[in-house]
Amino acid sequence: FAKEAIRLYGDKIPAQSQENILKQQITIGMSPYEAKLAGGAFYYKVEADQKVWPSNADPLVVIDKQSIAPDESKIWMTFETETQFPGEGKSRFEVYFSHGKAQTIKKLVQSKND
């Protein structure tokens, strides 16, 4: 899926992001769309910018719009991959976005029951 998206929309995705997407690694500065391409399936939490979005806005639409029209929405996307932290096996991590860009990437501690 990511390769096809890069083929079709590569002119809109920075070269460094394309490289990281193909390595399946999310980096600071990526948009939520780029992170989705790199990390795959995710859980999310969204605090939509009240100046832009109605209270009943679809959070997935808010996430998608950040790539083309970033606002002050706050977004947390949680992924679980084997590629984000090479050599560490499958890791769960949270990416925080504001102004349409990844600001932090935080590895989450998993309980022994996970």
Side-chain angles (χ1 to χ4, degrees):
F1 178 76
K3 287 180 183 179
E4 182 67 4
I6 289 172
R7 187 182 72 75
L8 293 172
Y9 309 109
D11 60 324
K12 295 176 178 38
I13 301 172
Q16 186 60 52
S17 289
Q18 289 183 36
E19 185 177 319
N20 290 319
I21 288 166
L22 294 174
K23 290 191 293 187
Q24 297 178 315
Q25 293 179 335
I26 299 167
T27 55
I28 300 298
M30 279 187 169
S31 70
Y33 179 71
E34 294 163 355
K36 188 167 43 170
L37 290 175
F42 61 93
Y43 296 96
Y44 59 88
K45 175 183 170 189
V46 174
E47 291 178 10
D49 183 347
Q50 294 179 346
K51 295 184 296 288
V52 177
W53 299 97
S55 61
N56 64 343
D58 181 335
L60 291 172
V61 172
V62 174
I63 290 171
D64 286 344
K65 292 291 182 183
Q66 299 308 301
S67 297
I68 55 173
D71 54 43
E72 294 188 33
S73 294
K74 296 176 182 174
I75 298 167
W76 295 263
M77 296 169 75
T78 302
F79 298 89
E80 186 171 30
T81 71
E82 293 184 0
T83 54
Q84 183 67 25
F85 303 100
E88 295 186 29
K90 189 179 264 187
S91 299
R92 188 175 297 160
F93 58 98
E94 179 182 80
V95 183
Y96 170 70
F97 297 84
S98 67
H99 302 283
K101 300 290 181 194
Q103 303 296 320
T104 62
I105 300 170
K106 177 175 73 172
K107 187 173 180 180
L108 302 175
V109 177
Q110 297 180 21
S111 71
K112 293 184 181 189
N113 296 330
D114 284 350

